[in-house]
Amino acid sequence: MALAALPHLRTSENPSLKVGSAGGVTRWEIFNIASSGNTALVERINKTKTTGGVDRPCVGVFEMEGRKIKQWRDCFAMAACTGATKG
């Protein structure tokens, strides 16, 4: 169910997705998608365009209600995040 509601996340023709954020444009490089019931897990790297560029590996958890995301949680590796922000 959850994967059927997220067909735009990744196809063989489009292995990444661009999303807007407060810090600019972030491209998702998606590696794996799994689902059970109305929950989908998306393993990806967020590649945010900044002066130096920031790549942050994460796993997103999407709880779906119909074709809409009801809840969205991202889990980041803190070492990767803090190292990316240090000058």
Side-chain angles (χ1 to χ4, degrees), residues 9-10 15-17 28-33 42-44:
L9 281 183
R10 184 178 68 172
S16 63
L17 174 73
W28 289 2
E29 186 175 340
I30 298 170
F31 297 102
N32 292 297
I33 301 175
V42 181
E43 179 186 16
R44 65 184 196 269

Side-chain angles (χ1 to χ4, degrees), residues 18-75:
K18 289 184 181 179
V19 294
S21 67
V25 174
T26 298
R27 185 172 61 86
W28 289 2
E29 186 175 340
I30 298 170
F31 297 102
N32 292 297
I33 301 175
S35 72
S36 177
N38 290 332
T39 302
L41 305 174
V42 181
E43 179 186 16
R44 65 184 196 269
I45 293 179
N46 291 356
K47 296 183 174 222
T48 303
K49 276 193 170 182
T50 62
T51 304
V54 178
D55 294 350
R56 293 193 173 127
C58 72
V59 173
V61 180
F62 298 89
E63 292 183 26
M64 307 301 295
E65 189 171 275
R67 295 188 56 82
K68 295 186 178 188
I69 297 172
K70 182 178 178 180
Q71 289 191 335
W72 174 350
R73 296 180 299 281
D74 282 334
C75 302

Side-chain angles (χ1 to χ4, degrees), residues 1-8 35 66-67:
M1 173 71 169
L3 284 181
L6 297 172
H8 59 281
S35 72
R67 295 188 56 82

